[in-house]
Amino acid sequence: MELIYPNKKSEREILNAISTVYFSKKPNQANTLIFSDNLPGLQFLLHECAFAGKIDLIYIDPPFATNGIFTIGQERTSTISSSKADNIAYEDKLTGEAFIEFLRERLIVARELLSENGSIYLHIDYKIGHYIKIIMDEIFGAENFRNDITRIKCNPKNFSRKAYGNIKDLILFYSKGKNPIWNEPFVSYSEEDIFRLYKKTDKTGRAYTTVPLHAPGETKDGATGEMFKGMYPPKGRHWRTSPSELEKLDEQGLIEWSSNGVPRRKIFADEQKGKKMQDIWDFKDYQYPVYPTEKNLDLLKHIIRTSSNENSIVMDFFCGSGTTLVAAHQLGRNWIGIDKSEIAIKSTRKKLDEIGKSLFKKAEYDFIEIEENELSAINL
């Protein structure tokens, strides 16, 4: 499927476009913060810095087409007084197809920067997100769609409008190809989970359950079809491991025998990683953010742990106050951030400087900006 709207450019037009913006230097290391509109910033990384196919993970939290202005210390507004203009963090004024094309251009260039094992997580809301889903299907391929993740963003609120309360937004998760980096995330069992799933206890009080020693299918190799304790696996099934290994498990007390002589393997709760993480996440926004729409650090750490490895390059080209970059640095990843807001850049640099005051290694990085004839140097 394809989303059709006026003034939609071809991919060739977008990828062949040459930026007329000049940057102060090229990065000497992967940790790089770029002060620029993100489209020329992405083109700079792709065409001049040889980052094509080098980035393992992209997370972005772009504007949501709200037609609002976001300021430090204030809620979103549709207008702003001149006295508050210096506090503008960013303006979210594009709506409709103009917003969709704005985001699509950047996603197409970003795709070229992703490695073959790379992934992208795009944070968006319910009002515009379903249009962006179609655009991402076009760009990354519907076959590479992984999840539409529901993120619980706040506690319930009592709105007066005739609709259900909105406590969530969504994250669209796509991979570049069939085999993305994937470090399986688990959630620890609760006491209720253990009581429900591990109903038995041994003499020491350890909770456990049991599972069959055999699995569906004919013998996988000769050994798994052989006799164990005078019995063969049931017809059409095979032992999960060789009888010699089953003997060892039995000697260790890890096989439980029923009253009629049926063996089952003991599985202890305290030896399991937990439950597989599902697609509803409870990472609420900060109640008093230092930057508008600032996201939860734990949310970013979870995404980075799951979809990148140590020394991977993680990129956020709507980096805002730099939470993605801080999370990546703390987890031993390299990072690239781009933003055109002076307040965002100042907030990011402050966060990166504070890393060195904690237990984490000081954040060393290249700071790159548009040359002064394009953009006045900011007072940092």
Short mmCIF file of all heavy atoms in Angstrom, two decimals, residues 283-303:
data_model
loop_
_atom_site.label_atom_id
_atom_site.label_comp_id
_atom_site.label_asym_id
_atom_site.label_seq_id
_atom_site.Cartn_x
_atom_site.Cartn_y
_atom_site.Cartn_z
N PHE A 283 6.47 3.04 30.83
CA PHE A 283 7.57 3.98 31.07
C PHE A 283 6.99 5.38 31.03
O PHE A 283 6.95 6.02 29.97
CB PHE A 283 8.66 3.84 30.01
CG PHE A 283 9.44 2.56 30.05
CD1 PHE A 283 9.20 1.56 29.13
CD2 PHE A 283 10.43 2.36 31.00
CE1 PHE A 283 9.93 0.38 29.14
CE2 PHE A 283 11.17 1.18 31.02
CZ PHE A 283 10.92 0.19 30.10
N LYS A 284 6.50 5.85 32.13
CA LYS A 284 5.78 7.13 32.15
C LYS A 284 6.74 8.31 31.98
O LYS A 284 7.91 8.25 32.34
CB LYS A 284 5.00 7.28 33.44
CG LYS A 284 3.85 6.29 33.61
CD LYS A 284 3.05 6.56 34.86
CE LYS A 284 1.88 5.60 35.00
NZ LYS A 284 2.31 4.22 35.24
N ASP A 285 6.19 9.40 31.43
CA ASP A 285 6.95 10.65 31.30
C ASP A 285 7.29 11.19 32.69
O ASP A 285 6.60 10.93 33.67
CB ASP A 285 6.13 11.70 30.56
CG ASP A 285 6.00 11.40 29.08
OD1 ASP A 285 6.87 10.69 28.54
OD2 ASP A 285 5.03 11.86 28.45
N TYR A 286 8.35 11.98 32.73
CA TYR A 286 8.69 12.66 33.97
C TYR A 286 7.62 13.69 34.31
O TYR A 286 7.11 14.39 33.43
CB TYR A 286 10.05 13.35 33.85
CG TYR A 286 11.20 12.40 33.66
CD1 TYR A 286 12.03 12.50 32.54
CD2 TYR A 286 11.46 11.40 34.58
CE1 TYR A 286 13.09 11.63 32.35
CE2 TYR A 286 12.52 10.51 34.39
CZ TYR A 286 13.33 10.63 33.29
OH TYR A 286 14.37 9.76 33.10
N GLN A 287 7.28 13.79 35.58
CA GLN A 287 6.25 14.74 36.00
C GLN A 287 6.72 16.19 35.83
O GLN A 287 5.95 17.07 35.47
CB GLN A 287 5.86 14.49 37.46
CG GLN A 287 4.65 15.30 37.90
CD GLN A 287 4.18 14.89 39.29
OE1 GLN A 287 4.76 14.02 39.93
NE2 GLN A 287 3.12 15.53 39.75
N TYR A 288 8.01 16.42 36.08
CA TYR A 288 8.56 17.78 35.94
C TYR A 288 9.78 17.73 35.02
O TYR A 288 10.93 17.78 35.48
CB TYR A 288 8.94 18.34 37.32
CG TYR A 288 7.78 18.38 38.28
CD1 TYR A 288 7.70 17.50 39.34
CD2 TYR A 288 6.76 19.32 38.11
CE1 TYR A 288 6.63 17.53 40.22
CE2 TYR A 288 5.68 19.36 38.99
CZ TYR A 288 5.62 18.46 40.04
OH TYR A 288 4.56 18.49 40.90
N PRO A 289 9.55 17.62 33.71
CA PRO A 289 10.68 17.52 32.78
C PRO A 289 11.45 18.83 32.69
O PRO A 289 10.88 19.91 32.87
CB PRO A 289 10.01 17.19 31.45
CG PRO A 289 8.64 17.78 31.57
CD PRO A 289 8.26 17.62 33.01
N VAL A 290 12.74 18.72 32.41
CA VAL A 290 13.54 19.94 32.22
C VAL A 290 13.41 20.45 30.79
O VAL A 290 13.77 21.59 30.50
CB VAL A 290 15.03 19.69 32.55
CG1 VAL A 290 15.20 19.27 34.00
CG2 VAL A 290 15.63 18.64 31.62
N TYR A 291 12.88 19.60 29.91
CA TYR A 291 12.73 19.95 28.51
C TYR A 291 11.38 19.42 28.04
O TYR A 291 10.97 18.31 28.43
CB TYR A 291 13.87 19.32 27.69
CG TYR A 291 13.92 19.72 26.24
CD1 TYR A 291 14.58 20.87 25.85
CD2 TYR A 291 13.30 18.95 25.26
CE1 TYR A 291 14.64 21.26 24.50
CE2 TYR A 291 13.34 19.31 23.92
CZ TYR A 291 14.01 20.47 23.56
OH TYR A 291 14.05 20.85 22.23
N PRO A 292 10.63 20.14 27.20
CA PRO A 292 9.31 19.67 26.77
C PRO A 292 9.37 18.30 26.11
O PRO A 292 10.28 18.02 25.32
CB PRO A 292 8.89 20.75 25.76
CG PRO A 292 9.67 21.95 26.10
CD PRO A 292 10.99 21.46 26.63
N THR A 293 8.43 17.47 26.44
CA THR A 293 8.29 16.10 25.91
C THR A 293 9.50 15.23 26.19
O THR A 293 9.74 14.24 25.49
CB THR A 293 7.97 16.09 24.39
OG1 THR A 293 9.13 16.50 23.65
CG2 THR A 293 6.80 16.98 24.06
N GLU A 294 10.28 15.56 27.20
CA GLU A 294 11.46 14.76 27.57
C GLU A 294 11.03 13.34 27.92
O GLU A 294 10.11 13.13 28.70
CB GLU A 294 12.17 15.40 28.76
CG GLU A 294 13.43 14.67 29.19
CD GLU A 294 14.12 15.37 30.36
OE1 GLU A 294 13.48 16.24 30.98
OE2 GLU A 294 15.27 15.05 30.63
N LYS A 295 11.70 12.36 27.35
CA LYS A 295 11.33 10.96 27.57
C LYS A 295 12.11 10.33 28.72
O LYS A 295 13.18 10.79 29.10
CB LYS A 295 11.54 10.15 26.28
CG LYS A 295 10.60 10.56 25.16
CD LYS A 295 9.14 10.36 25.54
CE LYS A 295 8.16 10.76 24.45
NZ LYS A 295 7.99 12.19 24.29
N ASN A 296 11.54 9.26 29.22
CA ASN A 296 12.07 8.53 30.37
C ASN A 296 13.41 7.86 30.00
O ASN A 296 13.51 7.15 29.00
CB ASN A 296 11.03 7.47 30.77
CG ASN A 296 11.34 6.76 32.03
OD1 ASN A 296 12.43 6.23 32.19
ND2 ASN A 296 10.39 6.73 32.94
N LEU A 297 14.43 8.08 30.82
CA LEU A 297 15.75 7.50 30.57
C LEU A 297 15.68 5.97 30.53
O LEU A 297 16.34 5.33 29.70
CB LEU A 297 16.75 7.96 31.63
CG LEU A 297 18.18 7.43 31.50
CD1 LEU A 297 18.84 7.94 30.23
CD2 LEU A 297 19.00 7.84 32.72
N ASP A 298 14.88 5.37 31.40
CA ASP A 298 14.76 3.90 31.42
C ASP A 298 14.15 3.37 30.12
O ASP A 298 14.50 2.27 29.68
CB ASP A 298 13.93 3.45 32.62
CG ASP A 298 14.65 3.65 33.94
OD1 ASP A 298 15.90 3.70 33.93
OD2 ASP A 298 13.98 3.77 34.98
N LEU A 299 13.23 4.12 29.53
CA LEU A 299 12.66 3.73 28.24
C LEU A 299 13.75 3.63 27.20
O LEU A 299 13.86 2.64 26.46
CB LEU A 299 11.61 4.76 27.81
CG LEU A 299 11.16 4.70 26.35
CD1 LEU A 299 10.38 3.44 26.07
CD2 LEU A 299 10.33 5.93 25.99
N LEU A 300 14.59 4.66 27.13
CA LEU A 300 15.66 4.66 26.12
C LEU A 300 16.68 3.58 26.40
O LEU A 300 17.18 2.92 25.48
CB LEU A 300 16.33 6.03 26.09
CG LEU A 300 15.70 7.10 25.19
CD1 LEU A 300 15.61 6.61 23.75
CD2 LEU A 300 14.32 7.51 25.64
N LYS A 301 17.01 3.35 27.66
CA LYS A 301 17.97 2.29 27.98
C LYS A 301 17.43 0.92 27.58
O LYS A 301 18.17 0.06 27.08
CB LYS A 301 18.31 2.32 29.48
CG LYS A 301 19.26 3.43 29.86
CD LYS A 301 19.70 3.30 31.31
CE LYS A 301 20.80 4.30 31.63
NZ LYS A 301 21.28 4.17 33.03
N HIS A 302 16.13 0.72 27.78
CA HIS A 302 15.55 -0.57 27.39
C HIS A 302 15.68 -0.79 25.88
O HIS A 302 16.09 -1.86 25.43
CB HIS A 302 14.08 -0.63 27.80
CG HIS A 302 13.34 -1.75 27.14
ND1 HIS A 302 13.57 -3.06 27.47
CD2 HIS A 302 12.45 -1.76 26.12
CE1 HIS A 302 12.84 -3.84 26.69
NE2 HIS A 302 12.15 -3.07 25.87
N ILE A 303 15.33 0.21 25.09
CA ILE A 303 15.42 0.09 23.63
C ILE A 303 16.86 -0.15 23.19
O ILE A 303 17.14 -1.01 22.35
CB ILE A 303 14.84 1.36 22.97
CG1 ILE A 303 13.33 1.42 23.18
CG2 ILE A 303 15.19 1.40 21.48
CD1 ILE A 303 12.69 2.72 22.74
#
